[in-house]
Coordinates of all heavy atoms in Angstrom, one line a residue:
M1 N 58.0 144.5 189.9 CA 57.7 144.3 188.6 C 59.0 144.4 187.7 O 59.9 145.2 188.1 CB 56.7 145.4 188.2 CG 56.1 145.2 186.8 SD 54.8 146.4 186.6 CE 54.4 146.1 185.0
S2 N 59.1 143.7 186.7 CA 60.3 143.8 185.8 C 60.1 144.6 184.6 O 59.0 144.9 184.2 CB 60.7 142.3 185.4 OG 59.6 141.8 184.6
K3 N 61.2 145.0 184.0 CA 61.3 145.8 182.8 C 62.1 145.0 181.8 O 63.2 144.5 182.1 CB 61.8 147.1 183.0 CG 60.9 148.1 183.8 CD 61.4 149.5 183.6 CE 60.4 150.4 184.4 NZ 59.1 150.6 183.8
T4 N 61.7 145.1 180.5 CA 62.4 144.5 179.4 C 63.2 145.6 178.8 O 62.6 146.6 178.3 CB 61.5 143.8 178.4 OG1 60.9 142.8 179.1 CG2 62.4 143.2 177.3
L5 N 64.5 145.4 178.6 CA 65.4 146.4 178.0 C 66.0 145.8 176.8 O 66.2 144.5 176.7 CB 66.5 146.8 179.0 CG 66.1 147.5 180.3 CD1 67.2 147.8 181.2 CD2 65.1 148.6 180.1
V6 N 66.4 146.6 175.9 CA 67.1 146.2 174.7 C 68.5 146.8 174.6 O 68.5 148.1 174.7 CB 66.3 146.5 173.4 CG1 67.0 146.0 172.1 CG2 64.9 145.8 173.5
A7 N 69.5 146.1 174.4 CA 70.9 146.6 174.2 C 71.3 146.4 172.9 O 71.2 145.3 172.3 CB 71.8 146.0 175.3
T8 N 71.8 147.4 172.2 CA 72.4 147.3 170.9 C 73.9 147.6 171.1 O 74.3 148.6 171.6 CB 71.9 148.3 169.9 OG1 70.4 148.1 169.8 CG2 72.5 148.2 168.5
M9 N 74.8 146.6 170.7 CA 76.2 146.7 170.8 C 76.8 146.6 169.5 O 76.6 145.7 168.7 CB 76.8 145.6 171.8 CG 78.2 145.6 172.0 SD 78.8 144.4 173.1 CE 78.5 145.2 174.7
M10 N 77.7 147.6 169.2 CA 78.4 147.7 168.0 C 79.9 147.5 168.3 O 80.4 148.2 169.1 CB 78.2 149.0 167.3 CG 76.8 149.2 166.8 SD 76.3 150.9 166.6 CE 76.0 151.4 168.2
S11 N 80.5 146.5 167.6 CA 81.9 146.1 167.8 C 82.7 146.9 166.8 O 82.5 146.8 165.6 CB 82.1 144.6 167.7 OG 83.4 144.3 167.6
A12 N 83.8 147.5 167.2 CA 84.7 148.2 166.4 C 85.6 147.2 165.6 O 86.1 147.6 164.5 CB 85.5 149.2 167.1
T13 N 85.9 146.1 166.2 CA 86.9 145.2 165.6 C 86.2 144.1 164.7 O 86.9 143.6 163.8 CB 87.7 144.5 166.6 OG1 86.8 143.7 167.5 CG2 88.5 145.4 167.4
R14 N 85.0 143.8 165.0 CA 84.4 142.7 164.2 C 83.4 143.3 163.2 O 82.7 142.5 162.5 CB 83.7 141.8 165.1 CG 84.7 141.0 166.0 CD 84.0 139.9 166.8 NE 84.9 139.3 167.6 CZ 84.7 138.2 168.4 NH1 83.4 137.8 168.4 NH2 85.6 137.7 169.1
H15 N 83.2 144.5 163.2 CA 82.2 145.2 162.2 C 80.8 144.6 162.3 O 80.2 144.3 161.3 CB 82.8 145.1 160.8 CG 84.1 145.6 160.6 ND1 84.5 146.9 160.8 CD2 85.3 145.0 160.4 CE1 85.8 147.1 160.7 NE2 86.3 145.9 160.4
T16 N 80.4 144.3 163.6 CA 79.1 143.7 163.8 C 78.3 144.6 164.7 O 78.8 145.4 165.4 CB 79.3 142.3 164.4 OG1 79.9 142.4 165.7 CG2 80.0 141.4 163.5
Q17 N 77.0 144.3 164.6 CA 76.1 144.9 165.5 C 75.1 143.9 166.0 O 74.6 143.1 165.2 CB 75.2 146.0 164.8 CG 74.2 146.7 165.7 CD 73.4 147.8 165.0 OE1 74.1 148.6 164.3 NE2 72.1 147.8 165.0
E18 N 74.9 143.8 167.3 CA 74.1 142.7 167.9 C 73.1 143.4 168.8 O 73.3 144.4 169.5 CB 74.9 141.8 168.8 CG 75.9 141.0 167.9 CD 75.3 139.9 167.0 OE1 74.2 139.5 167.3 OE2 76.0 139.6 166.1
D19 N 71.8 142.9 168.9 CA 70.8 143.3 169.8 C 70.6 142.2 170.8 O 70.5 141.1 170.5 CB 69.5 143.6 169.0 CG 69.5 144.8 168.1 OD1 70.3 145.7 168.4 OD2 68.8 144.8 167.1
Y20 N 70.4 142.7 172.1 CA 70.2 141.7 173.2 C 69.0 142.2 174.0 O 68.9 143.4 174.3 CB 71.4 141.7 174.1 CG 72.7 141.3 173.4 CD1 73.5 142.2 172.9 CD2 73.1 140.0 173.3 CE1 74.7 141.9 172.3 CE2 74.2 139.6 172.7 CZ 75.1 140.6 172.2 OH 76.2 140.2 171.6
T21 N 68.1 141.3 174.2 CA 66.9 141.7 175.0 C 67.1 141.0 176.4 O 67.3 139.8 176.4 CB 65.6 141.2 174.3 OG1 65.5 141.8 173.0 CG2 64.4 141.6 175.1
F22 N 66.9 141.8 177.4 CA 67.1 141.3 178.8 C 66.1 141.9 179.7 O 65.6 143.0 179.4 CB 68.6 141.4 179.2 CG 69.0 142.8 179.4 CD1 69.1 143.4 180.7 CD2 69.3 143.6 178.3 CE1 69.6 144.7 180.9 CE2 69.7 144.9 178.5 CZ 69.9 145.5 179.8
T23 N 65.9 141.3 180.9 CA 64.9 141.7 181.8 C 65.6 142.1 183.1 O 66.5 141.4 183.5 CB 63.9 140.6 182.1 OG1 63.3 140.3 180.8 CG2 62.8 141.1 183.1
V24 N 65.2 143.2 183.7 CA 65.7 143.6 185.0 C 64.5 143.6 186.0 O 63.4 144.0 185.6 CB 66.3 145.0 185.0 CG1 67.6 145.0 184.2 CG2 65.4 146.1 184.4
D25 N 64.7 143.2 187.2 CA 63.7 143.2 188.2 C 63.7 144.5 189.0 O 63.9 144.4 190.3 CB 63.8 141.9 189.1 CG 63.6 140.7 188.3 OD1 62.7 140.7 187.5 OD2 64.2 139.6 188.7
D26 N 63.6 145.6 188.4 CA 63.8 146.8 189.0 C 62.9 147.9 188.3 O 63.3 148.4 187.2 CB 65.2 147.2 189.1 CG 65.5 148.5 189.9 OD1 64.5 149.2 190.3 OD2 66.6 148.8 190.1
D27 N 61.8 148.3 188.9 CA 60.9 149.3 188.3 C 61.6 150.6 188.2 O 61.3 151.4 187.3 CB 59.6 149.5 189.1 CG 58.5 148.6 188.6 OD1 58.7 147.9 187.5 OD2 57.5 148.4 189.3
A28 N 62.5 150.8 189.1 CA 63.2 152.2 189.2 C 64.5 152.2 188.4 O 65.4 152.9 188.8 CB 63.4 152.6 190.6
I29 N 64.7 151.3 187.4 CA 66.0 151.2 186.8 C 66.4 152.5 186.2 O 67.6 152.8 186.2 CB 66.0 150.0 185.7 CG1 67.4 149.8 185.1 CG2 65.0 150.4 184.5 CD1 68.3 149.1 186.1
W30 N 65.5 153.3 185.7 CA 65.9 154.6 185.1 C 66.3 155.7 186.1 O 66.8 156.7 185.7 CB 64.9 155.1 184.1 CG 64.7 154.1 183.0 CD1 63.7 153.2 182.7 CD2 65.7 153.8 182.0 NE1 64.0 152.5 181.6 CE2 65.2 152.7 181.2 CE3 67.0 154.2 181.7 CZ2 65.9 152.3 180.1 CZ3 67.7 153.7 180.7 CH2 67.2 152.7 179.9
S31 N 66.1 155.4 187.3 CA 66.6 156.3 188.4 C 68.0 156.0 188.8 O 68.6 156.8 189.5 CB 65.7 156.3 189.6 OG 65.8 155.1 190.3
K32 N 68.5 154.9 188.3 CA 69.9 154.5 188.6 C 70.9 155.3 187.7 O 70.6 155.9 186.7 CB 70.1 153.0 188.3 CG 69.1 152.1 188.9 CD 69.3 152.0 190.4 CE 68.4 151.0 191.0 NZ 67.9 151.3 192.3
T33 N 72.2 155.2 188.1 CA 73.2 155.8 187.3 C 73.4 155.0 186.0 O 73.1 153.8 186.0 CB 74.6 155.8 188.1 OG1 75.0 154.5 188.3 CG2 74.4 156.6 189.4
P34 N 74.0 155.6 185.0 CA 74.3 154.9 183.8 C 75.1 153.6 184.1 O 74.8 152.5 183.5 CB 75.1 155.9 182.9 CG 74.7 157.2 183.4 CD 74.4 157.0 184.9
I35 N 76.1 153.7 185.0 CA 77.0 152.6 185.2 C 76.1 151.4 185.8 O 76.4 150.2 185.5 CB 78.1 152.9 186.1 CG1 79.1 153.9 185.4 CG2 78.9 151.7 186.7 CD1 79.7 153.2 184.2
K36 N 75.1 151.7 186.7 CA 74.3 150.6 187.3 C 73.5 149.9 186.2 O 73.2 148.7 186.3 CB 73.4 151.2 188.4 CG 74.2 151.6 189.6 CD 74.7 150.4 190.3 CE 75.4 150.9 191.7 NZ 76.1 149.7 192.3
I37 N 73.0 150.7 185.2 CA 72.2 150.2 184.2 C 73.1 149.3 183.3 O 72.7 148.2 182.9 CB 71.5 151.3 183.3 CG1 70.5 152.0 184.3 CG2 70.8 150.7 182.1 CD1 70.0 153.3 183.7
I38 N 74.2 149.8 183.0 CA 75.2 149.0 182.2 C 75.5 147.7 182.9 O 75.7 146.6 182.4 CB 76.4 149.9 181.8 CG1 76.1 151.0 180.9 CG2 77.6 148.9 181.2 CD1 77.1 152.1 180.8
Q39 N 75.7 147.8 184.2 CA 76.0 146.6 185.1 C 74.9 145.6 184.9 O 75.3 144.4 184.9 CB 76.3 147.1 186.5 CG 76.7 145.9 187.4 CD 76.9 146.4 188.8 OE1 76.4 147.5 189.3 NE2 77.8 145.7 189.6
A40 N 73.7 146.0 184.9 CA 72.6 145.0 184.7 C 72.8 144.3 183.4 O 72.6 143.0 183.3 CB 71.3 145.7 184.8
F41 N 73.2 144.9 182.3 CA 73.4 144.3 181.0 C 74.6 143.5 181.1 O 74.7 142.3 180.6 CB 73.6 145.4 179.9 CG 74.1 144.8 178.7 CD1 73.2 144.0 177.9 CD2 75.3 145.2 178.1 CE1 73.6 143.4 176.7 CE2 75.7 144.6 176.9 CZ 74.9 143.7 176.2
A42 N 75.7 143.9 181.8 CA 76.9 143.1 181.9 C 76.6 141.8 182.6 O 77.2 140.7 182.3 CB 78.0 143.9 182.7
E43 N 75.8 141.8 183.7 CA 75.4 140.6 184.4 C 74.7 139.6 183.4 O 75.0 138.4 183.4 CB 74.6 140.9 185.6 CG 75.4 141.6 186.7 CD 74.6 142.1 187.8 OE1 73.3 141.9 187.9 OE2 75.1 142.8 188.7
Y44 N 73.8 140.1 182.6 CA 73.1 139.3 181.6 C 74.1 138.7 180.6 O 74.1 137.5 180.4 CB 72.1 140.1 180.9 CG 71.6 139.5 179.6 CD1 70.6 138.5 179.6 CD2 72.2 139.9 178.3 CE1 70.2 137.9 178.4 CE2 71.7 139.3 177.2 CZ 70.8 138.3 177.2 OH 70.4 137.7 176.0
V45 N 75.1 139.5 180.1 CA 76.0 139.0 179.2 C 76.9 137.9 179.9 O 77.1 136.8 179.2 CB 76.9 140.1 178.7 CG1 78.2 139.6 177.9 CG2 76.1 141.0 177.8
D46 N 77.3 138.1 181.1 CA 78.2 137.2 181.7 C 77.4 135.8 182.0 O 78.0 134.8 181.8 CB 78.6 137.8 183.1 CG 79.7 136.9 183.8 OD1 80.6 136.4 183.1 OD2 79.6 136.8 185.0
E47 N 76.2 135.9 182.3 CA 75.4 134.7 182.7 C 74.8 134.0 181.4 O 74.8 132.8 181.4 CB 74.3 135.0 183.6 CG 74.8 135.5 185.0 CD 73.6 136.0 185.9 OE1 72.5 135.9 185.4 OE2 73.9 136.6 186.9
K48 N 74.4 134.7 180.4 CA 73.6 134.2 179.3 C 74.3 134.1 178.0 O 74.1 133.2 177.2 CB 72.3 134.9 179.1 CG 71.4 135.0 180.3 CD 70.8 133.6 180.7 CE 69.9 133.7 181.9 NZ 69.5 132.5 182.4
V49 N 75.2 135.1 177.7 CA 75.8 135.2 176.4 C 77.2 134.4 176.4 O 77.4 133.7 175.4 CB 75.9 136.6 175.9 CG1 76.6 136.7 174.5 CG2 74.6 137.4 175.9
F50 N 77.9 134.6 177.4 CA 79.3 134.0 177.6 C 79.4 133.3 178.9 O 80.2 133.6 179.7 CB 80.4 135.1 177.5 CG 80.4 135.8 176.1 CD1 80.0 137.1 176.0 CD2 80.9 135.1 175.0 CE1 80.1 137.7 174.8 CE2 80.9 135.8 173.8 CZ 80.5 137.1 173.7
P51 N 78.5 132.3 179.1 CA 78.5 131.6 180.5 C 79.8 130.8 180.7 O 80.1 130.5 181.9 CB 77.3 130.7 180.4 CG 77.1 130.4 179.0 CD 77.5 131.7 178.2
D52 N 80.6 130.4 179.7 CA 81.7 129.6 179.9 C 83.0 130.3 179.9 O 84.1 129.6 179.9 CB 81.7 128.4 178.8 CG 80.5 127.6 178.9 OD1 80.0 127.3 180.0 OD2 80.0 127.1 177.9
E53 N 83.0 131.6 179.8 CA 84.3 132.3 179.9 C 84.1 133.5 180.7 O 83.1 134.1 180.8 CB 84.8 132.6 178.5 CG 84.0 133.5 177.6 CD 84.6 133.6 176.2 OE1 85.8 134.0 176.1 OE2 83.9 133.4 175.2
M54 N 85.3 134.0 181.2 CA 85.4 135.3 182.0 C 85.2 136.4 181.0 O 85.8 136.5 180.0 CB 86.7 135.4 182.7 CG 86.8 136.5 183.7 SD 87.1 138.2 183.0 CE 88.6 138.1 182.1
V55 N 84.2 137.3 181.4 CA 84.0 138.5 180.6 C 83.8 139.6 181.6 O 83.1 139.5 182.6 CB 82.8 138.4 179.7 CG1 81.5 138.2 180.4 CG2 82.7 139.6 178.8
D56 N 84.4 140.8 181.3 CA 84.3 142.0 182.1 C 84.1 143.2 181.2 O 84.3 143.0 180.0 CB 85.5 142.2 183.0 CG 85.3 143.1 184.1 OD1 84.1 143.6 184.3 OD2 86.2 143.3 184.9
F57 N 83.7 144.3 181.7 CA 83.5 145.5 180.9 C 84.4 146.6 181.5 O 84.4 146.8 182.6 CB 82.0 145.9 180.9 CG 81.1 145.1 180.2 CD1 80.7 143.8 180.5 CD2 80.6 145.6 178.9 CE1 79.9 143.1 179.8 CE2 79.8 144.8 178.2 CZ 79.4 143.6 178.6
E58 N 85.0 147.3 180.5 CA 85.7 148.5 180.9 C 85.0 149.7 180.2 O 84.9 149.7 179.0 CB 87.2 148.4 180.4 CG 88.0 149.6 180.7 CD 89.4 149.4 180.2 OE1 90.2 148.7 180.8 OE2 89.8 150.0 179.1
I59 N 84.4 150.6 181.0 CA 83.6 151.7 180.4 C 84.5 152.9 180.5 O 85.0 153.4 181.5 CB 82.4 151.9 181.3 CG1 81.5 150.6 181.4 CG2 81.5 153.0 180.7 CD1 81.1 150.1 180.0
N60 N 84.7 153.5 179.3 CA 85.4 154.7 179.1 C 84.6 156.0 179.2 O 85.0 157.1 179.6 CB 86.2 154.7 177.8 CG 87.1 153.6 177.7 OD1 86.9 152.7 176.9 ND2 88.1 153.5 178.6
A61 N 83.3 155.9 178.8 CA 82.4 157.0 178.8 C 81.0 156.5 178.8 O 80.7 155.5 178.2 CB 82.6 157.9 177.6
S62 N 80.1 157.1 179.6 CA 78.7 156.8 179.5 C 77.8 158.0 179.9 O 78.3 158.9 180.6 CB 78.4 155.6 180.5 OG 78.6 156.0 181.8
F63 N 76.6 158.0 179.4 CA 75.7 159.0 179.8 C 74.3 158.4 179.7 O 74.0 157.5 178.9 CB 75.8 160.3 179.0 CG 75.5 160.3 177.6 CD1 74.2 160.5 177.1 CD2 76.5 159.9 176.7 CE1 74.0 160.4 175.7 CE2 76.3 159.9 175.3 CZ 75.0 160.1 174.8
K64 N 73.3 159.1 180.4 CA 71.9 158.7 180.4 C 71.1 159.8 179.9 O 71.3 161.0 180.3 CB 71.5 158.2 181.7 CG 70.0 157.8 181.9 CD 69.7 157.3 183.2 CE 69.7 158.3 184.3 NZ 69.3 157.9 185.6
N65 N 70.1 159.5 178.9 CA 69.2 160.5 178.5 C 67.9 160.1 179.2 O 67.3 159.1 178.8 CB 69.1 160.5 177.0 CG 68.0 161.5 176.5 OD1 66.9 161.5 176.9 ND2 68.5 162.4 175.6
E66 N 67.4 160.8 180.2 CA 66.2 160.4 181.0 C 65.0 160.6 180.1 O 64.0 159.8 180.3 CB 66.2 161.2 182.2 CG 67.3 160.8 183.1 CD 67.2 161.3 184.6 OE1 66.0 161.6 185.0 OE2 68.2 161.5 185.2
E67 N 64.9 161.6 179.3 CA 63.7 161.9 178.4 C 63.4 160.7 177.6 O 62.3 160.3 177.4 CB 64.0 163.1 177.6 CG 62.7 163.4 176.7 CD 63.0 164.6 175.8 OE1 64.1 165.2 175.9 OE2 62.2 164.8 174.9
H68 N 64.4 160.1 177.0 CA 64.3 158.9 176.1 C 64.5 157.6 176.7 O 64.5 156.6 176.0 CB 65.2 159.1 174.8 CG 64.8 160.3 174.0 ND1 63.7 160.3 173.1 CD2 65.3 161.6 173.9 CE1 63.6 161.5 172.6 NE2 64.6 162.3 173.0
K69 N 64.8 157.6 177.9 CA 65.1 156.3 178.7 C 66.1 155.5 177.9 O 65.9 154.4 177.5 CB 63.8 155.5 178.9 CG 62.9 156.2 179.9 CD 61.7 155.4 180.2 CE 60.8 156.1 181.2 NZ 59.6 155.3 181.5
C70 N 67.3 156.1 177.8 CA 68.4 155.5 177.0 C 69.8 155.7 177.7 O 70.0 156.8 178.3 CB 68.4 156.1 175.7 SG 69.7 155.5 174.6
V71 N 70.6 154.7 177.7 CA 72.0 154.9 178.2 C 72.9 154.6 177.0 O 72.7 153.7 176.2 CB 72.3 153.9 179.3 CG1 73.8 153.8 179.6 CG2 71.6 154.3 180.6
T72 N 73.9 155.4 176.8 CA 74.9 155.2 175.8 C 76.3 155.1 176.5 O 76.6 155.8 177.4 CB 74.9 156.4 174.8 OG1 73.7 156.6 174.2 CG2 75.9 156.1 173.7
A73 N 77.1 154.1 176.0 CA 78.4 153.9 176.6 C 79.4 153.5 175.5 O 79.1 152.9 174.5 CB 78.3 152.8 177.6
M74 N 80.7 153.8 175.8 CA 81.8 153.3 175.0 C 82.8 152.7 175.9 O 83.0 153.2 177.0 CB 82.4 154.6 174.2 CG 81.6 155.2 173.2 SD 82.3 156.6 172.5 CE 82.3 157.8 173.8
G75 N 83.4 151.6 175.4 CA 84.4 150.9 176.2 C 84.9 149.7 175.5 O 84.9 149.6 174.3
Q76 N 85.3 148.8 176.4 CA 85.8 147.5 175.9 C 85.2 146.3 176.7 O 85.1 146.4 177.9 CB 87.3 147.5 176.0 CG 88.1 148.5 175.3 CD 89.5 148.4 175.5 OE1 90.2 147.6 174.9 NE2 90.1 149.3 176.3
M77 N 84.9 145.2 176.0 CA 84.6 143.9 176.6 C 86.0 143.3 176.9 O 86.8 143.3 176.0 CB 83.8 143.0 175.8 CG 82.3 143.5 175.7 SD 81.3 142.4 174.7 CE 81.3 141.0 175.8
V78 N 86.2 142.8 178.1 CA 87.5 142.2 178.4 C 87.4 140.7 178.6 O 86.6 140.3 179.5 CB 88.1 142.9 179.7 CG1 89.4 142.3 180.0 CG2 88.2 144.4 179.6
F79 N 88.1 140.0 177.8 CA 88.0 138.5 177.9 C 89.5 138.1 178.2 O 90.4 138.9 178.0 CB 87.7 137.9 176.5 CG 86.3 138.2 176.1 CD1 86.0 139.3 175.2 CD2 85.2 137.4 176.4 CE1 84.8 139.6 174.8 CE2 83.9 137.7 176.0 CZ 83.7 138.8 175.2
E80 N 89.6 136.8 178.6 CA 91.0 136.3 178.8 C 91.7 136.3 177.5 O 93.0 136.5 177.4 CB 90.9 134.9 179.4 CG 90.5 134.8 180.8 CD 90.4 133.4 181.3 OE1 90.8 132.5 180.7 OE2 89.9 133.3 182.5
R81 N 91.0 136.1 176.4 CA 91.6 136.1 175.0 C 91.9 137.5 174.4 O 92.5 137.6 173.4 CB 90.7 135.3 174.1 CG 89.3 135.9 174.0 CD 88.4 134.9 173.1 NE 87.0 135.0 173.5 CZ 86.2 135.8 172.7 NH1 86.5 136.5 171.7 NH2 84.9 135.8 173.1
G82 N 91.5 138.6 175.1 CA 91.7 139.9 174.6 C 90.6 140.8 174.9 O 89.6 140.5 175.5
R83 N 90.6 142.0 174.2 CA 89.7 143.1 174.5 C 89.0 143.4 173.1 O 89.6 143.4 172.1 CB 90.3 144.4 175.0 CG 91.0 144.2 176.3 CD 91.8 145.3 176.7 NE 92.4 145.1 178.1 CZ 92.0 145.7 179.1 NH1 91.0 146.6 179.1 NH2 92.5 145.5 180.3
I84 N 87.7 143.8 173.2 CA 87.0 144.1 172.0 C 86.3 145.5 172.3 O 85.4 145.6 173.2 CB 85.9 143.1 171.7 CG1 86.5 141.7 171.4 CG2 85.1 143.6 170.5 CD1 85.5 140.6 171.3
P85 N 86.8 146.6 171.6 CA 86.1 147.9 171.8 C 84.7 147.9 171.3 O 84.3 147.1 170.3 CB 86.9 148.8 171.0 CG 88.0 148.0 170.2 CD 87.8 146.6 170.6
F86 N 83.8 148.6 171.9 CA 82.4 148.7 171.5 C 81.8 150.0 171.8 O 82.2 150.9 172.6 CB 81.6 147.6 172.3 CG 81.5 147.8 173.8 CD1 80.5 148.7 174.3 CD2 82.3 147.2 174.6 CE1 80.4 148.9 175.6 CE2 82.2 147.5 176.0 CZ 81.3 148.3 176.5
T87 N 80.6 150.2 171.2 CA 79.7 151.3 171.6 C 78.4 150.6 171.9 O 78.0 149.6 171.2 CB 79.4 152.2 170.3 OG1 80.7 152.9 170.0 CG2 78.4 153.3 170.8
L88 N 77.7 151.0 173.0 CA 76.5 150.3 173.6 C 75.4 151.3 173.7 O 75.7 152.4 174.3 CB 76.9 149.7 174.8 CG 75.9 149.0 175.7 CD1 75.3 147.8 175.0 CD2 76.4 148.7 177.0
M89 N 74.3 150.9 173.3 CA 73.0 151.7 173.7 C 72.0 150.8 174.3 O 71.8 149.6 173.8 CB 72.5 152.3 172.4 CG 73.3 153.4 171.8 SD 72.6 154.2 170.4 CE 72.7 152.8 169.2
I90 N 71.5 151.2 175.5 CA 70.5 150.5 176.2 C 69.2 151.3 176.3 O 69.3 152.4 176.7 CB 71.0 150.0 177.6 CG1 72.2 149.2 177.5 CG2 69.9 149.3 178.3 CD1 72.9 148.9 178.8
G91 N 68.1 150.7 175.9 CA 66.9 151.4 176.0 C 65.7 150.5 176.4 O 65.8 149.3 176.5
E92 N 64.6 151.1 176.6 CA 63.4 150.3 176.9 C 62.5 150.3 175.7 O 62.1 151.4 175.2 CB 62.6 151.0 178.1 CG 61.5 150.3 178.6 CD 60.9 150.9 179.9 OE1 61.6 151.6 180.6 OE2 59.7 150.7 180.1
R93 N 62.3 149.2 175.2 CA 61.5 149.0 173.9 C 60.2 149.8 174.0 O 59.4 149.5 174.9 CB 61.3 147.6 173.6 CG 60.6 147.4 172.2 CD 60.8 146.1 171.7 NE 62.2 146.0 171.3 CZ 62.7 144.9 170.7 NH1 62.0 143.8 170.6 NH2 64.0 144.8 170.4
G94 N 60.0 150.7 173.1 CA 58.7 151.4 173.0 C 58.6 152.4 174.1 O 57.5 153.0 174.4
A95 N 59.7 152.8 174.7 CA 59.7 153.8 175.8 C 59.2 155.1 175.4 O 58.4 155.8 176.0 CB 61.0 153.9 176.5
R96 N 59.6 155.5 174.2 CA 59.3 156.9 173.7 C 59.5 156.8 172.1 O 60.6 156.7 171.7 CB 60.1 157.9 174.3 CG 59.6 159.3 174.0 CD 60.3 160.3 174.9 NE 60.1 161.6 174.4 CZ 59.2 162.5 174.9 NH1 58.5 162.2 176.0 NH2 59.1 163.7 174.4
D97 N 58.4 157.0 171.4 CA 58.6 156.9 170.0 C 58.5 158.2 169.4 O 57.9 159.2 169.9 CB 57.4 156.0 169.3 CG 57.6 154.6 169.8 OD1 58.7 154.1 169.9 OD2 56.6 153.9 170.1

């Protein structure tokens, strides 16, 4: 069974905030480490958001809140054209209100 997650990414250089909705085919996604959850988002970004250019993620800090089913991370998106610092939150829509 799949789960729909929502990622909110705030860019420090572009003064923007974007929401991304993506699906993972893993019922046990919240039992994974924060880096594995971020990796699922990174794969979505690489395939769907920037399919025509190389993109990688450098994570400087991350943590998972199991009670609220949320991962928070800080780092940089790495492109051939440069790096963009960001703050990222990934959660399950309606997981806990």
Side-chain angles (χ1 to χ4, degrees):
M1 190 171 178
S2 62
K3 289 200 179 284
T4 299
L5 304 181
V6 177
T8 300
M9 179 177 278
M10 294 159 278
S11 168
T13 58
R14 295 186 180 183
H15 308 291
T16 62
Q17 175 178 316
E18 299 288 338
D19 290 331
Y20 303 93
T21 302
F22 65 105
T23 303
V24 293
D25 292 326
D26 188 350
D27 269 350
I29 190 71
W30 296 111
S31 68
K32 308 290 188 213
T33 65
I35 293 298
K36 291 290 185 188
I37 297 168
I38 295 164
Q39 185 177 22
F41 172 66
E43 289 170 5
Y44 163 79
V45 168
D46 188 43
E47 293 172 10
K48 303 293 185 190
V49 181
F50 297 107
D52 296 329
E53 62 182 308
M54 188 284 299
V55 63
D56 199 359
F57 284 75
E58 181 180 284
I59 304 300
N60 302 112
S62 67
F63 66 91
K64 178 174 68 171
N65 182 303
E66 293 191 27
E67 178 185 357
H68 295 282
K69 294 184 177 179
C70 178
V71 166
T72 304
M74 292 177 289
Q76 299 181 76
M77 287 181 69
V78 180
F79 296 92
E80 290 179 9
R81 57 186 155 98
R83 296 171 178 257
I84 301 172
F86 68 83
T87 300
L88 173 68
M89 293 182 290
I90 301 172
E92 188 174 333
R93 183 160 288 177
R96 188 169 167 105
D97 296 321

